[in-house]
Every structure is written in C-alpha cells, then in structure tokens.
Amino acid sequence: MSMQKTDDNRVKIFDTTLRDGEQSPGFSMNHDEKLRMAAMLEELGVDIIEAGFPIASQGDFESVRAIAKQASDDVVIAGLCRASVNDINRAWEALQYAPHARIHTFISTSPVHMKYKLRMEPEAVLEAIHKSVSHAASLTSDVEWSPEDGTRTDPDFLVDVVKTAVEAGATTINVPDTVGYLVADEYAELIKMLLNNVPGLEKCTISTHCHNDLGVAVANSLGGVAAGARQIECTINGIGERAGNASLEEVAMALQVRGDRLPYWTRIDGTKLVRASQMLQSITGFSVQPNKAIVGANAFAHESGIHQDGMLKNAQTYEIMTPESVGWQKTNLVLGKHSGRAAFRNKLEQLGYGDIGENAFQDAFVRFKDLADHKKDVTDEDIIALVDDSAGDQEAAYTLEDLKIHSIVHGVARVDVSVAARSEVHTVTTEGNGAVDAIFKGIKQATGQDGQKLDLYQVHAVTGGTDAQAKVTVRLSQDGRSVSGTGADYDTLFASARAYIHALNKLQASERRVHAHHDSAESGGEAA
Ligand code: KIV
Ligand code: ZN
C-alpha cells in the first residue's frame, strides 16, 4: 500500500550547500556559480535554500541578494546571521527580495563554546537569544533559530534556550550536531526530550542539522525525523565543514526507497540528483569517491560474475532502486560534427542546461564544433563538461587567449601563453620542466600573480578512449585561502591552462571578499 502524502508526514529539505558547504576550505564558489547552483537546487525541489551568510563579506551579501531576486514562489531563501541586530539587518537587506525569505539566526549554547568562543555567561546568552529572535520576528514571520553545538549543551539549559527562542517568535527550531558527536538513538532521544519539555514547540518545525564526523549524519537525520523533526538540513554530495553535512541525495533516496519503514515524503525530484551532484563536482573541482551512495560512478556498477549474472536475470537481485530513478542516463545519444545549433540546443535542454545565457551557449557551441572535429563521438558527458566550463564568470579577472607549445627537448618545454586581463592581452614565453610547468609559469608571469601555491593538479578523462576530453582540476592556496578551478578540453594542456586561470580568478575574487570582510568587520561584523 502506498503512503498517504499529508502535511504531517512531509519532510522539508533545507539545503545548505551554498553556506555550510561553501565555507569549507577549497569549496568557495564565485557569484555566477552560486546562482547556477541555486537554480539547480530549486529545480531539484529543495524547499529552503540557505544562500549564504550576508554579513560575512560584500560578495556573500551580493550572492544572497541575487539568489533572493532570482527565486520563484516555490522556494524559501534563507540567510544566516549571528545573534546581533547588525547581522540580522544585513541579512534582511539581502533576503527581502525573495518571494519567501527566512532569517536563520544562531548562537552557541554548549559550556565549551560559551566559555571559550563567546566568553559569555548563560544568562547573557539567553538575553541575546530573546533580543535577536524578537528582532528577526519583527522583520519576517519566517524565523529559524539554532543553538550551535546544541548536542553538547546541558539538556536543562537546552530546554531553556529553545523555550526562549520559541517565546520570542522562532517558527523553526534547528538542533545542530555541530561537531558530529551523537550516535545511534541519541539524536532522536534529544528531539523527543525537547518536544516533551518545551511548551509550544509542537507548533514549530523541528529541524535536523547533522555533521558527519563519525559518518552517521544521514542516519542521525533520519532518526530525528522519526522522532518528530520535519526539516532536514543537508548538502549536495554531503559537503560541509570538516567531514561534511548529511548528504541530500542519501537522505532523499532513503526516504523515497524506504517509505515502508520511514513513512515520510519530500518534494525532491530524484531524477535530478546526479545532475546536481555533477554540477557541484564540476564547480568545486572536488569529485565524489566512486563508491559514494547514489551519485558515485560505481553506485550502480556490478563487477563480480555472480552479481552480473543475477542482474541479467533480474535487476532487483542487486539493486534497491534503478539508476534512472536518481538521474543516471540509460541512453547516451551522441552528437557529431554535422549537428547544428538547433540539435545542440535541443541536447542542452534534455540535459537540463536549457537556460544557460546566450554568450555561454555561443561559446559552448563553438567549442562543441571544435571538439567534434577532433573526437568521433561527442557524448552527454562531453557536452556537460563543455557547458560547465563555458558558463560565464562576471568576476573573471583573467581569460586564456592563446597557448602555443614550441618545443619539448629532454623534458624542457618552451611555450607562449597569452592571457587577457580585462581588455589588455599579455603574451609571455616561458620554459619549464615539462609543458604543464612551463604553462603555469607563463600564466604567473602574464598575470603578475605569483604568490599562490599549487596544492593539487589532477587530470580525469571525461569519457573512455584516447580521444577523450581531459577535465583538469587545479587547487591553489594563498594566505590561508584555498580554491579549486576546473577546465575541460580535448587537449590536456589547454584544459590545464583553463583550470589554472579559473582557480586564479577565484583566488582574486576571494581576496576581494576578504578585503570587503575586513571593512565590514571594522564596522561591527565578525565571521562565524
Ligand atoms: O553546524 C552548525 O552548528 C551550524 C549552525 C550555524 C546551524 O552550521
Ligand atoms: Zn553546520
């Protein structure tokens, strides 16, 4: 018998990829990437998108505002803020454009956080909660409140702080397992304890926010739902601080596949999960491991003879869901060099990229024709790599204009690299130990940016075959900031140059954010 979908058993999905996910080292995204990701999350059926932490920097503020402006009526846009009137006002300034906006405010409540991080007495924390939640509630009727490190908070004090937030007007109460400490039934018991002891809590939505330090974030989130929570905070691919957050795709599919044990439903369209995951991998340059549930390359691969035999007889022998139900494509219709603009546009629409801007479309089409001249079959994976690589970047300080490899003699390569900085093109000739070294040196010289350290250089083949496109990831760090860039091309050296420049552009953008943040810190801000 199929489950009745009612308001009582609906679980809202609160995605924090763009806030908790984006704030972990190397995962920073530029403005355009965040907008693309937000549009994808909306298409996926996410109920609430936490778009950022508006007071953290001018860049964060602008991204939250732009995401609020592009949001439809179907989604709520949330912004994070500490328990301060300044933070809350700044968040509201960005969020007010959304058809539905939520202020999410938090403060630490565990003994260790209050003593060492906040240096505040419990009474002062209670007062700050009352003041901040009341202020947020005076701006909007949708206020979420979180006790940071809630799961290591003294239970009696947790009851007091939640009571204070509910009385002050919070409509969603989040229970963060900030350090991913709880196991098995503990998290569910904590939620039951709050429901039994906080008057009025049953009128609020209770939310889970589980980190994955012990690898049980998804299990704890599901336990929380069984205990009464009706919102799960999670991220695509489980990205987030340290070991990450509960993974959206795992939570969504667990609820979909195991409706018999977990009689709850979400609005997530499972068939878009792989695309959302791959978009994030492409933007951040962090691939998921092959055995990652749902979205890993091997999640539906059957290698051993016994398994293959079983699968041929009946797929249910070894599959609890179909690959198509989570968005893996069965047919991979191939385009060739005779395919025109209309066929290419049609293919982009099928792949869910129908709304890329005209400039990105033209750029991707030119690159597709070029690729088709060099590669026999252009597959869906090739096209996705091209489009992701061509997506516009308004903040880009540099673009690759040209690259020429002159010679490689006894391993020493000589190259010409041309980079445009705004409208001026700089061309330099450099030598290095191999072509990649020479190209990276050339980019540093042409841009005058040489303070960055190369932490990772990685090449993946987008498809099989010796004519496969290369997808290169470059990770750079400078002054404690770490960013990843990606580039795709049938020529590995071009892909490498594109990836380096993509990362350099992100580093420049993050430097602007740090400067803007220092300016805002001087005028009363401070990051979480
Ligand atoms: O992990 C955490 O405690 C958080 C809060 C800000 C909700 O991310
Ligand atoms: Zn968190």
Side-chain angles (χ1 to χ4, degrees):
M1 202 180 75
S2 72
M3 179 217 327
Q4 283 282 330
K5 291 184 177 177
T6 66
D7 280 352
D8 286 346
N9 64 1
R10 170 173 173 196
V11 174
K12 291 188 180 160
I13 296 295
F14 176 116
D15 179 277
T16 184
T17 304
L18 296 172
R19 199 279 297 169
D20 214 327
E22 205 254 353
Q23 76 191 34
S24 50
F27 281 85
S28 63
M29 298 175 218
N30 65 34
H31 187 82
D32 293 340
E33 290 167 342
K34 286 185 191 171
L35 282 179
R36 256 195 307 142
M37 206 59 226
M40 177 75 246
L41 294 172
E42 216 189 296
E43 208 184 316
L44 188 60
V46 159
D47 297 285
I48 302 110
I49 297 175
E50 188 163 51
F53 193 174
I55 199 140
S57 71
Q58 185 62 23
D60 274 42
F61 174 83
E62 282 167 14
S63 307
V64 175
R65 186 175 55 185
I67 291 169
K69 284 184 177 173
Q70 86 171 10
S72 81
D73 204 27
D74 293 335
V75 69
V76 175
I77 306 299
L80 186 69
C81 27
R82 289 161 305 174
S84 102
V85 167
N86 261 355
D87 272 39
I88 293 170
N89 288 346
R90 186 71 172 149
W92 186 244
E93 235 183 285
L95 291 167
Q96 61 182 319
Y97 300 96
H100 304 284
R102 172 179 298 185
I103 293 176
H104 177 192
T105 177
F106 74 100
I107 192 166
S108 294
T109 52
S110 66
V112 65
H113 275 226
M114 288 193 291
K115 182 166 177 197
Y116 295 105
K117 187 180 124 171
L118 296 179
R119 293 175 207 273
M120 279 170 85
E121 292 300 323
E123 294 69 32
V125 168
L126 282 167
E127 210 174 294
I129 296 166
H130 182 76
K131 202 169 154 206
S132 55
V133 175
S134 309
H135 181 61
S138 73
L139 299 172
T140 170
S141 57
D142 192 346
V143 177
E144 173 166 337
W145 180 74
S146 292
E148 190 185 7
D149 207 13
T151 55
R152 292 193 303 169
T153 297
D154 169 73
D156 290 339
F157 188 58
L158 190 64
V159 167
D160 287 347
V161 290
V162 171
K163 218 187 258 176
T164 305
V166 172
E167 282 166 9
T171 45
T172 298
I173 296 293
N174 188 29
V175 185
D177 190 16
T178 304
V179 290
Y181 182 65
L182 296 201
V183 291
D185 299 336
E186 265 184 308
Y187 191 72
E189 279 161 18
L190 188 64
I191 286 178
K192 282 189 202 144
M193 185 283 283
L194 287 173
L195 271 168
N196 287 335
N197 289 284
V198 179
L201 184 57
E202 69 289 348
K203 294 198 194 85
C204 299
T205 301
I206 301 179
S207 173
T208 68
H209 182 106
C210 298
H211 279 269
N212 205 30
D213 299 67
L214 296 174
V216 291
V218 169
N220 282 352
S221 307
L222 298 175
V225 168
R230 288 294 177 269
Q231 174 177 292
I232 296 181
E233 303 200 353
C234 47
T235 57
I236 301 289
N237 298 338
I239 70 169
E241 290 281 3
R242 306 178 310 281
N245 290 63
S247 133
L248 184 150
E249 53 281 2
E250 293 175 22
V251 156
M253 289 316 290
L255 291 176
Q256 186 176 314
V257 172
R258 293 308 310 274
D260 56 330
R261 292 287 296 201
L262 299 161
Y264 313 99
W265 63 284
T266 73
R267 283 195 326 138
I268 295 297
D269 175 354
T271 64
K272 307 248 161 82
L273 287 169
V274 167
R275 186 149 65 79
S277 163
Q278 291 182 345
M279 182 183 284
L280 185 67
Q281 293 178 57
S282 169
I283 286 175
T284 61
F286 283 93
S287 304
V288 297
Q289 79 269 24
N291 60 320
K292 166 84 175 66
I294 320 292
V295 294
N298 288 353
F300 293 89
H302 303 277
E303 184 69 25
S304 86
I306 293 177
H307 286 211
Q308 286 179 350
D309 180 54
M311 282 297 293
L312 288 172
K313 289 173 177 148
N314 184 331
Q316 285 181 9
T317 50
Y318 289 104
E319 272 180 9
I320 57 168
M321 57 197 145
T322 65
E324 291 78 24
S325 69
V326 300
W328 289 104
Q329 305 281 334
K330 201 174 227 165
T331 53
N332 203 345
L333 208 69
V334 166
L335 291 184
K337 64 180 183 181
H338 300 297
S339 310
R341 274 192 165 70
F344 186 64
R345 202 182 280 283
N346 189 31
K347 172 59 89 180
L348 290 189
E349 272 161 18
Q350 279 172 25
L351 293 173
Y353 288 87
D355 55 357
I356 63 167
E358 195 51 30
N359 288 346
F361 173 80
Q362 295 301 346
D363 184 27
F365 183 69
V366 170
R367 292 185 61 201
F368 154 68
K369 286 302 240 186
D370 189 30
L371 177 63
D373 274 341
H374 291 84
K375 188 172 188 286
K376 198 167 136 266
D377 298 327
V378 179
T379 64
D380 290 357
E381 288 82 5
D382 283 321
I383 292 170
I384 290 169
L386 271 188
V387 180
D388 282 345
D389 198 43
S390 305
D393 175 4
Q394 310 289 339
E395 294 174 353
Y398 308 110
T399 47
L400 179 70
E401 286 293 307
D402 203 6
L403 180 63
K404 286 194 185 82
I405 314 294
H406 284 299
S407 56
I408 306 183
V409 181
H410 300 304
V412 176
R414 194 151 191 270
V415 303
D416 280 352
V417 181
S418 300
V419 178
R422 308 287 171 223
S423 50
E424 227 177 292
V425 177
H426 301 270
T427 302
V428 295
T429 302
T430 43
E431 283 188 354
N433 293 320
V436 173
D437 185 42
I439 291 166
F440 290 179
K441 277 186 182 148
I443 294 173
K444 286 180 173 187
Q445 266 186 36
T447 58
Q449 300 291 338
D450 62 359
Q452 66 279 10
K453 185 168 155 276
L454 177 67
D455 292 329
L456 176 91
Y457 170 75
Q458 197 169 278
V459 184
H460 286 290
V462 173
T463 56
T466 51
D467 62 352
Q469 271 196 103
K471 177 136 195 187
V472 174
T473 303
V474 160
R475 193 162 305 139
L476 301 176
S477 62
Q478 189 170 9
D479 303 331
R481 288 167 290 126
S482 166
V483 297
S484 301
T486 55
D489 202 282
Y490 57 83
D491 184 312
T492 309
L493 297 178
F494 260 89
S496 304
R498 283 173 176 280
Y500 198 96
I501 286 181
H502 185 209
L504 205 54
N505 281 329
K506 282 187 162 178
L507 210 47
Q508 293 287 301
S510 77
E511 193 184 1
R512 289 197 292 275
R513 287 167 71 174
V514 169
H515 285 151
H517 169 55
H518 285 159
D519 296 346
S520 90
E522 276 158 23
S523 60
E526 176 209 324

